[in-house]
Amino acid sequence: MMEYAINRPLQCAAVHDLSGFGRCSLTVALPVLSAMGVQVSCLPTAVLSTHTGGFKGYTFRDLTADMGPFFRHWQREGFRFDALYTGYLGSEEQIQLVEEFLSVFRTDENCILVDPVMGDHGKLYTLYTEKMAAGMKRLCARADVIVPNMTEAAYLTGMEYRAEGHTEAYLQEMCEKLMALGPGKVVLTGVCPEKGRMGTACFEGGKMRIYAPARVDAAYDGTGDLFASVLLGALLRGRSLTKAVMLAADFTRDCVERSLHNGTDCHHGVDFEPALWRLGKAMMEEI
């Protein structure tokens, strides 16, 4: 991945679903990356009235049939992107289309970030199949950066899932096995080295760094999307992996604390909008 000057125009193609209500996927990636000085081009995988966590009777429109024509039009127009960013994919066919998408728009200079959204709390999502999990492994092999949570990392590596008590040896082995899939860098989320602490472990160049500050006792939908979007924006703006991870973790944690203080419904996502100015300010500081 190339280094980027602070004022260089940057473009990211984001492959995510779009929920009309609820802070997740594109409704997070668009404002966050925009605030960090990155233009986002959206390749929507589906459109929903709300996201699927905690809501009933939501509408859903599958856009699988539109994805290929969508990005092939971009190809004909000669569009180029500094980053390719993928999130939840709802079928084996969508994963195959994204493989083609990455092949079309991959360059020697751009960054591919794959958030392998597959499950949480030790289980795959209900509709996620073993074939889809195998397809996600293939996407991870193409990535410069992958951002799995502990559940996803366990499934991708075949290791035992642990909800907490993540020792350095356990995390080191997990990161090494994830690196063996093919990505350039690994960022694990949901790392809990001891009770009362929660954060991340990043692995690059054979070295692992754990960043796990005090845990906020709350769970909000969309925090993974928020973390990954800030991480990508910081990397594109020239931050090291360690600094990007710390910025993303601190920003996400602060937004969760604000949401908890405000009494925000956990299914609505975190109140990040009032803090977007901080991301823009951070990008103007010295690298």
Side-chain angles (χ1 to χ4, degrees):
M1 189 180 82
M2 68 183 291
E3 296 294 329
Y4 296 96
I6 284 182
N7 292 319
R8 181 184 181 279
L10 297 168
Q11 296 195 38
C12 169
V15 188
H16 294 263
D17 56 75
L18 174 63
S19 293
F21 184 90
R23 302 175 179 99
C24 66
S25 304
L26 283 177
T27 55
V28 170
L30 267 168
V32 166
L33 286 166
S34 296
M36 300 178 80
V38 181
Q39 177 186 347
V40 181
S41 299
C42 301
L43 176 53
T45 60
V47 177
L48 303 90
S49 55
T50 69
H51 66 79
T52 59
F55 297 103
K56 297 180 180 179
Y58 53 82
T59 67
F60 176 88
R61 180 62 59 92
D62 185 349
L63 297 181
T64 302
D66 299 287
M67 290 172 62
F70 215 101
F71 71 73
R72 292 180 193 118
H73 178 215
W74 290 356
Q75 182 183 22
R76 292 194 300 273
E77 292 291 336
F79 297 159
R80 295 172 64 86
F81 302 100
D82 299 290
L84 310 175
Y85 174 22
T86 74
Y88 178 76
L89 300 172
S91 66
E92 189 178 3
E93 184 179 358
Q94 286 195 350
I95 293 173
Q96 292 170 347
L97 283 165
V98 171
E99 287 185 90
E100 181 186 351
F101 167 77
L102 296 181
S103 295
V104 167
F105 292 101
R106 177 58 151 161
T107 70
D108 292 335
E109 291 80 27
N110 62 13
C111 173
I112 296 177
L113 187 147
V114 172
D115 186 357
V117 183
M118 301 164 58
D120 208 351
H121 306 297
K123 297 180 180 180
L124 291 178
Y125 292 132
T126 304
L127 299 179
Y128 224 85
T129 67
E130 292 299 325
K131 285 187 176 180
M132 291 168 67
M136 191 57 72
K137 282 187 179 182
R138 297 196 302 270
L139 291 186
C140 288
R142 294 170 174 262
D144 294 295
V145 186
I146 61 172
V147 193
N149 63 28
M150 297 305 296
T151 297
E152 293 149 359
Y155 271 92
L156 288 168
T157 61
M159 289 181 61
E160 173 196 7
Y161 167 74
R162 299 179 188 175
E164 56 186 15
H166 304 139
T167 65
E168 287 196 26
Y170 174 76
L171 294 171
Q172 179 82 19
E173 182 182 0
M174 184 166 276
C175 285
E176 289 177 351
K177 287 188 175 182
L178 288 168
M179 288 290 289
L181 296 177
K185 301 176 178 67
V186 169
V187 179
L188 284 174
T189 63
V191 170
C192 182
E194 60 185 60
K195 188 175 181 179
R197 293 174 57 203
M198 179 71 77
T200 64
C202 59
F203 194 88
E204 178 183 25
K207 296 182 179 180
M208 181 181 70
R209 295 177 177 85
I210 298 172
Y211 181 62
R215 179 175 187 168
V216 180
D217 191 17
Y220 283 84
D221 290 323
T223 52
D225 297 320
L226 182 61
F227 175 89
S229 298
V230 176
L231 174 72
L232 178 58
L235 290 173
L236 288 176
R237 297 299 298 271
R239 271 51 179 183
S240 68
L241 182 65
T242 299
K243 289 185 176 180
V245 165
M246 292 178 68
L247 174 64
D250 288 344
F251 185 81
T252 303
R253 182 179 184 275
D254 290 349
C255 290
V256 169
E257 285 186 326
R258 177 185 299 106
S259 305
L260 189 61
H261 176 76
N262 292 343
T264 303
D265 189 312
C266 64
H267 298 306
H268 294 187
V270 294
D271 300 339
F272 67 84
E273 294 89 352
L276 284 175
W277 66 271
R278 289 175 46 198
L279 295 176
K281 184 177 183 291
M283 294 302 95
M284 297 307 295
E285 296 172 354
E286 291 294 329
I287 295 176

